[in-house]
PDB file of all heavy atoms in Angstrom:
ATOM      1  N   PHE A 254       0.827  -1.205   0.000  1.00  0.00           N
ATOM      2  CA  PHE A 254       0.000   0.000   0.000  1.00  0.00           C
ATOM      3  C   PHE A 254       0.862   1.255   0.000  1.00  0.00           C
ATOM      4  O   PHE A 254       0.600   2.208  -0.748  1.00  0.00           O
ATOM      5  CB  PHE A 254      -0.916  -0.017   1.224  1.00  0.00           C
ATOM      6  CG  PHE A 254      -1.792   1.201   1.348  1.00  0.00           C
ATOM      7  CD1 PHE A 254      -3.005   1.265   0.681  1.00  0.00           C
ATOM      8  CD2 PHE A 254      -1.403   2.284   2.121  1.00  0.00           C
ATOM      9  CE1 PHE A 254      -3.822   2.379   0.789  1.00  0.00           C
ATOM     10  CE2 PHE A 254      -2.200   3.402   2.232  1.00  0.00           C
ATOM     11  CZ  PHE A 254      -3.422   3.450   1.569  1.00  0.00           C
ATOM     12  N   VAL A 255       1.884   1.288   0.836  1.00  0.00           N
ATOM     13  CA  VAL A 255       2.759   2.468   0.903  1.00  0.00           C
ATOM     14  C   VAL A 255       3.460   2.700  -0.426  1.00  0.00           C
ATOM     15  O   VAL A 255       3.579   3.836  -0.903  1.00  0.00           O
ATOM     16  CB  VAL A 255       3.773   2.303   2.057  1.00  0.00           C
ATOM     17  CG1 VAL A 255       4.827   3.396   2.001  1.00  0.00           C
ATOM     18  CG2 VAL A 255       3.057   2.336   3.399  1.00  0.00           C
ATOM     19  N   ALA A 256       3.926   1.603  -1.048  1.00  0.00           N
ATOM     20  CA  ALA A 256       4.604   1.746  -2.339  1.00  0.00           C
ATOM     21  C   ALA A 256       3.656   2.300  -3.396  1.00  0.00           C
ATOM     22  O   ALA A 256       4.013   3.204  -4.160  1.00  0.00           O
ATOM     23  CB  ALA A 256       5.169   0.397  -2.779  1.00  0.00           C
ATOM     24  N   ASN A 257       2.433   1.786  -3.447  1.00  0.00           N
ATOM     25  CA  ASN A 257       1.471   2.271  -4.434  1.00  0.00           C
ATOM     26  C   ASN A 257       1.057   3.710  -4.156  1.00  0.00           C
ATOM     27  O   ASN A 257       0.918   4.521  -5.078  1.00  0.00           O
ATOM     28  CB  ASN A 257       0.230   1.374  -4.449  1.00  0.00           C
ATOM     29  CG  ASN A 257       0.464   0.082  -5.200  1.00  0.00           C
ATOM     30  OD1 ASN A 257       1.029   0.086  -6.288  1.00  0.00           O
ATOM     31  ND2 ASN A 257       0.073  -1.032  -4.620  1.00  0.00           N
ATOM     32  N   ALA A 258       0.831   4.034  -2.864  1.00  0.00           N
ATOM     33  CA  ALA A 258       0.445   5.397  -2.526  1.00  0.00           C
ATOM     34  C   ALA A 258       1.561   6.382  -2.885  1.00  0.00           C
ATOM     35  O   ALA A 258       1.303   7.476  -3.387  1.00  0.00           O
ATOM     36  CB  ALA A 258       0.109   5.494  -1.030  1.00  0.00           C
ATOM     37  N   SER A 259       2.804   5.987  -2.634  1.00  0.00           N
ATOM     38  CA  SER A 259       3.928   6.860  -2.995  1.00  0.00           C
ATOM     39  C   SER A 259       3.978   7.085  -4.495  1.00  0.00           C
ATOM     40  O   SER A 259       4.209   8.215  -4.963  1.00  0.00           O
ATOM     41  CB  SER A 259       5.235   6.234  -2.507  1.00  0.00           C
ATOM     42  OG  SER A 259       5.218   6.047  -1.107  1.00  0.00           O
ATOM     43  N   HIS A 260       3.741   6.016  -5.249  1.00  0.00           N
ATOM     44  CA  HIS A 260       3.751   6.153  -6.713  1.00  0.00           C
ATOM     45  C   HIS A 260       2.621   7.066  -7.181  1.00  0.00           C
ATOM     46  O   HIS A 260       2.825   7.956  -8.017  1.00  0.00           O
ATOM     47  CB  HIS A 260       3.610   4.783  -7.362  1.00  0.00           C
ATOM     48  CG  HIS A 260       3.500   4.843  -8.860  1.00  0.00           C
ATOM     49  ND1 HIS A 260       4.594   4.874  -9.680  1.00  0.00           N
ATOM     50  CD2 HIS A 260       2.412   4.896  -9.674  1.00  0.00           C
ATOM     51  CE1 HIS A 260       4.198   4.942 -10.949  1.00  0.00           C
ATOM     52  NE2 HIS A 260       2.869   4.940 -10.960  1.00  0.00           N
ATOM     53  N   GLU A 261       1.423   6.864  -6.631  1.00  0.00           N
ATOM     54  CA  GLU A 261       0.280   7.663  -7.052  1.00  0.00           C
ATOM     55  C   GLU A 261       0.450   9.136  -6.689  1.00  0.00           C
ATOM     56  O   GLU A 261      -0.001  10.012  -7.424  1.00  0.00           O
ATOM     57  CB  GLU A 261      -1.000   7.115  -6.415  1.00  0.00           C
ATOM     58  CG  GLU A 261      -1.383   5.724  -6.892  1.00  0.00           C
ATOM     59  CD  GLU A 261      -1.924   5.721  -8.313  1.00  0.00           C
ATOM     60  OE1 GLU A 261      -2.272   6.804  -8.819  1.00  0.00           O
ATOM     61  OE2 GLU A 261      -1.996   4.641  -8.917  1.00  0.00           O
ATOM     62  N   LEU A 262       1.068   9.410  -5.558  1.00  0.00           N
ATOM     63  CA  LEU A 262       1.297  10.798  -5.166  1.00  0.00           C
ATOM     64  C   LEU A 262       2.456  11.422  -5.935  1.00  0.00           C
ATOM     65  O   LEU A 262       2.442  12.626  -6.225  1.00  0.00           O
ATOM     66  CB  LEU A 262       1.571  10.867  -3.656  1.00  0.00           C
ATOM     67  CG  LEU A 262       0.362  10.638  -2.747  1.00  0.00           C
ATOM     68  CD1 LEU A 262       0.817  10.490  -1.302  1.00  0.00           C
ATOM     69  CD2 LEU A 262      -0.623  11.803  -2.873  1.00  0.00           C
ATOM     70  N   ARG A 263       3.462  10.622  -6.250  1.00  0.00           N
ATOM     71  CA  ARG A 263       4.619  11.164  -6.948  1.00  0.00           C
ATOM     72  C   ARG A 263       4.314  11.481  -8.407  1.00  0.00           C
ATOM     73  O   ARG A 263       4.872  12.425  -8.975  1.00  0.00           O
ATOM     74  CB  ARG A 263       5.772  10.159  -6.862  1.00  0.00           C
ATOM     75  CG  ARG A 263       7.075  10.694  -7.444  1.00  0.00           C
ATOM     76  CD  ARG A 263       8.233   9.757  -7.167  1.00  0.00           C
ATOM     77  NE  ARG A 263       8.016   8.462  -7.781  1.00  0.00           N
ATOM     78  CZ  ARG A 263       7.872   7.329  -7.096  1.00  0.00           C
ATOM     79  NH1 ARG A 263       7.915   7.352  -5.780  1.00  0.00           N
ATOM     80  NH2 ARG A 263       7.679   6.181  -7.713  1.00  0.00           N
ATOM     81  N   THR A 264       3.414  10.726  -9.033  1.00  0.00           N
ATOM     82  CA  THR A 264       3.136  10.933 -10.457  1.00  0.00           C
ATOM     83  C   THR A 264       2.592  12.323 -10.750  1.00  0.00           C
ATOM     84  O   THR A 264       3.118  13.023 -11.624  1.00  0.00           O
ATOM     85  CB  THR A 264       2.167   9.843 -10.961  1.00  0.00           C
ATOM     86  OG1 THR A 264       2.787   8.563 -10.797  1.00  0.00           O
ATOM     87  CG2 THR A 264       1.837  10.058 -12.421  1.00  0.00           C
ATOM     88  N   PRO A 265       1.545  12.801 -10.071  1.00  0.00           N
ATOM     89  CA  PRO A 265       1.079  14.164 -10.365  1.00  0.00           C
ATOM     90  C   PRO A 265       2.080  15.236  -9.966  1.00  0.00           C
ATOM     91  O   PRO A 265       2.166  16.287 -10.606  1.00  0.00           O
ATOM     92  CB  PRO A 265      -0.222  14.278  -9.569  1.00  0.00           C
ATOM     93  CG  PRO A 265      -0.151  13.219  -8.540  1.00  0.00           C
ATOM     94  CD  PRO A 265       0.653  12.115  -9.122  1.00  0.00           C
ATOM     95  N   LEU A 266       2.866  14.993  -8.916  1.00  0.00           N
ATOM     96  CA  LEU A 266       3.887  15.971  -8.539  1.00  0.00           C
ATOM     97  C   LEU A 266       4.930  16.110  -9.644  1.00  0.00           C
ATOM     98  O   LEU A 266       5.337  17.231 -10.003  1.00  0.00           O
ATOM     99  CB  LEU A 266       4.557  15.545  -7.227  1.00  0.00           C
ATOM    100  CG  LEU A 266       3.757  15.772  -5.944  1.00  0.00           C
ATOM    101  CD1 LEU A 266       4.487  15.152  -4.763  1.00  0.00           C
ATOM    102  CD2 LEU A 266       3.531  17.259  -5.705  1.00  0.00           C
ATOM    103  N   ALA A 267       5.366  14.962 -10.174  1.00  0.00           N
ATOM    104  CA  ALA A 267       6.324  15.020 -11.278  1.00  0.00           C
ATOM    105  C   ALA A 267       5.707  15.684 -12.495  1.00  0.00           C
ATOM    106  O   ALA A 267       6.380  16.455 -13.211  1.00  0.00           O
ATOM    107  CB  ALA A 267       6.793  13.605 -11.627  1.00  0.00           C
ATOM    108  N   GLY A 268       4.426  15.425 -12.758  1.00  0.00           N
ATOM    109  CA  GLY A 268       3.761  16.077 -13.885  1.00  0.00           C
ATOM    110  C   GLY A 268       3.669  17.573 -13.708  1.00  0.00           C
ATOM    111  O   GLY A 268       3.907  18.340 -14.654  1.00  0.00           O
ATOM    112  N   GLN A 269       3.329  18.011 -12.518  1.00  0.00           N
ATOM    113  CA  GLN A 269       3.275  19.449 -12.242  1.00  0.00           C
ATOM    114  C   GLN A 269       4.637  20.107 -12.457  1.00  0.00           C
ATOM    115  O   GLN A 269       4.746  21.178 -13.068  1.00  0.00           O
ATOM    116  CB  GLN A 269       2.799  19.687 -10.803  1.00  0.00           C
ATOM    117  CG  GLN A 269       1.313  19.595 -10.610  1.00  0.00           C
ATOM    118  CD  GLN A 269       0.932  19.905  -9.173  1.00  0.00           C
ATOM    119  OE1 GLN A 269       1.685  19.627  -8.233  1.00  0.00           O
ATOM    120  NE2 GLN A 269      -0.249  20.463  -8.987  1.00  0.00           N
ATOM    121  N   ARG A 270       5.678  19.486 -11.938  1.00  0.00           N
ATOM    122  CA  ARG A 270       7.012  20.050 -12.080  1.00  0.00           C
ATOM    123  C   ARG A 270       7.419  20.115 -13.548  1.00  0.00           C
ATOM    124  O   ARG A 270       7.987  21.122 -14.010  1.00  0.00           O
ATOM    125  CB  ARG A 270       8.010  19.214 -11.290  1.00  0.00           C
ATOM    126  CG  ARG A 270       9.423  19.788 -11.325  1.00  0.00           C
ATOM    127  CD  ARG A 270      10.348  19.066 -10.366  1.00  0.00           C
ATOM    128  NE  ARG A 270      10.489  17.664 -10.722  1.00  0.00           N
ATOM    129  CZ  ARG A 270       9.998  16.661 -10.001  1.00  0.00           C
ATOM    130  NH1 ARG A 270       9.333  16.920  -8.903  1.00  0.00           N
ATOM    131  NH2 ARG A 270      10.158  15.402 -10.403  1.00  0.00           N
ATOM    132  N   ALA A 271       7.112  19.059 -14.306  1.00  0.00           N
ATOM    133  CA  ALA A 271       7.473  19.058 -15.727  1.00  0.00           C
ATOM    134  C   ALA A 271       6.731  20.151 -16.488  1.00  0.00           C
ATOM    135  O   ALA A 271       7.318  20.856 -17.326  1.00  0.00           O
ATOM    136  CB  ALA A 271       7.178  17.690 -16.337  1.00  0.00           C
ATOM    137  N   VAL A 272       5.435  20.308 -16.218  1.00  0.00           N
ATOM    138  CA  VAL A 272       4.646  21.338 -16.910  1.00  0.00           C
ATOM    139  C   VAL A 272       5.188  22.732 -16.605  1.00  0.00           C
ATOM    140  O   VAL A 272       5.375  23.570 -17.513  1.00  0.00           O
ATOM    141  CB  VAL A 272       3.163  21.225 -16.504  1.00  0.00           C
ATOM    142  CG1 VAL A 272       2.385  22.453 -16.964  1.00  0.00           C
ATOM    143  CG2 VAL A 272       2.557  19.964 -17.092  1.00  0.00           C
ATOM    144  N   LEU A 273       5.464  23.012 -15.348  1.00  0.00           N
ATOM    145  CA  LEU A 273       5.960  24.338 -14.977  1.00  0.00           C
ATOM    146  C   LEU A 273       7.372  24.581 -15.512  1.00  0.00           C
ATOM    147  O   LEU A 273       7.698  25.701 -15.940  1.00  0.00           O
ATOM    148  CB  LEU A 273       5.934  24.482 -13.456  1.00  0.00           C
ATOM    149  CG  LEU A 273       4.533  24.442 -12.809  1.00  0.00           C
ATOM    150  CD1 LEU A 273       4.641  24.485 -11.295  1.00  0.00           C
ATOM    151  CD2 LEU A 273       3.689  25.607 -13.315  1.00  0.00           C
ATOM    152  N   GLN A 274       8.215  23.553 -15.485  1.00  0.00           N
ATOM    153  CA  GLN A 274       9.573  23.722 -16.003  1.00  0.00           C
ATOM    154  C   GLN A 274       9.568  24.012 -17.502  1.00  0.00           C
ATOM    155  O   GLN A 274      10.324  24.863 -17.985  1.00  0.00           O
ATOM    156  CB  GLN A 274      10.405  22.479 -15.704  1.00  0.00           C
ATOM    157  CG  GLN A 274      10.813  22.337 -14.247  1.00  0.00           C
ATOM    158  CD  GLN A 274      11.559  21.047 -13.972  1.00  0.00           C
ATOM    159  OE1 GLN A 274      11.526  20.116 -14.789  1.00  0.00           O
ATOM    160  NE2 GLN A 274      12.216  20.974 -12.828  1.00  0.00           N
ATOM    161  N   VAL A 275       8.711  23.323 -18.253  1.00  0.00           N
ATOM    162  CA  VAL A 275       8.625  23.561 -19.695  1.00  0.00           C
ATOM    163  C   VAL A 275       8.127  24.974 -19.968  1.00  0.00           C
ATOM    164  O   VAL A 275       8.649  25.691 -20.854  1.00  0.00           O
ATOM    165  CB  VAL A 275       7.701  22.513 -20.349  1.00  0.00           C
ATOM    166  CG1 VAL A 275       7.397  22.892 -21.794  1.00  0.00           C
ATOM    167  CG2 VAL A 275       8.351  21.138 -20.300  1.00  0.00           C
ATOM    168  N   ALA A 276       7.120  25.411 -19.205  1.00  0.00           N
ATOM    169  CA  ALA A 276       6.583  26.755 -19.416  1.00  0.00           C
ATOM    170  C   ALA A 276       7.618  27.820 -19.082  1.00  0.00           C
ATOM    171  O   ALA A 276       7.753  28.827 -19.798  1.00  0.00           O
ATOM    172  CB  ALA A 276       5.329  26.949 -18.576  1.00  0.00           C
ATOM    173  N   LEU A 277       8.370  27.632 -18.003  1.00  0.00           N
ATOM    174  CA  LEU A 277       9.370  28.629 -17.610  1.00  0.00           C
ATOM    175  C   LEU A 277      10.592  28.599 -18.527  1.00  0.00           C
ATOM    176  O   LEU A 277      11.271  29.627 -18.707  1.00  0.00           O
ATOM    177  CB  LEU A 277       9.791  28.383 -16.162  1.00  0.00           C
ATOM    178  CG  LEU A 277       8.715  28.646 -15.093  1.00  0.00           C
ATOM    179  CD1 LEU A 277       9.227  28.245 -13.720  1.00  0.00           C
ATOM    180  CD2 LEU A 277       8.302  30.122 -15.095  1.00  0.00           C
ATOM    181  N   ALA A 278      10.894  27.438 -19.104  1.00  0.00           N
ATOM    182  CA  ALA A 278      12.075  27.344 -19.960  1.00  0.00           C
ATOM    183  C   ALA A 278      11.847  27.936 -21.346  1.00  0.00           C
ATOM    184  O   ALA A 278      12.822  28.182 -22.076  1.00  0.00           O
ATOM    185  CB  ALA A 278      12.491  25.878 -20.094  1.00  0.00           C
ATOM    186  N   ASP A 279      10.609  28.181 -21.717  1.00  0.00           N
ATOM    187  CA  ASP A 279      10.312  28.739 -23.044  1.00  0.00           C
ATOM    188  C   ASP A 279      10.370  30.265 -22.969  1.00  0.00           C
ATOM    189  O   ASP A 279       9.486  30.902 -22.391  1.00  0.00           O
ATOM    190  CB  ASP A 279       8.927  28.272 -23.490  1.00  0.00           C
ATOM    191  CG  ASP A 279       8.624  28.705 -24.917  1.00  0.00           C
ATOM    192  OD1 ASP A 279       9.510  29.308 -25.547  1.00  0.00           O
ATOM    193  OD2 ASP A 279       7.497  28.442 -25.386  1.00  0.00           O
ATOM    194  N   PRO A 280      11.407  30.885 -23.552  1.00  0.00           N
ATOM    195  CA  PRO A 280      11.517  32.353 -23.463  1.00  0.00           C
ATOM    196  C   PRO A 280      10.434  33.069 -24.263  1.00  0.00           C
ATOM    197  O   PRO A 280      10.156  34.252 -24.021  1.00  0.00           O
ATOM    198  CB  PRO A 280      12.915  32.640 -24.029  1.00  0.00           C
ATOM    199  CG  PRO A 280      13.208  31.491 -24.915  1.00  0.00           C
ATOM    200  CD  PRO A 280      12.519  30.310 -24.317  1.00  0.00           C
TER     201      PRO A 280
END
C-alpha cells in the first residue's frame, strides 16, 4: 500500500514540475 500510494502521489507531482519547467524554460 505504501509503495502504491507513494507512486500515485509522486506521479502528479512530477507532472506538475514538468509542466511548470517547460513553461518557464520557453523564453
Side-chain angles (χ1 to χ4, degrees):
F254 178 85
V255 171
N257 282 315
S259 301
H260 175 86
E261 294 287 345
L262 287 170
R263 186 172 62 244
T264 299
L266 284 173
Q269 280 183 328
R270 183 171 62 249
V272 168
L273 296 176
Q274 286 176 344
V275 170
L277 292 175
D279 186 3

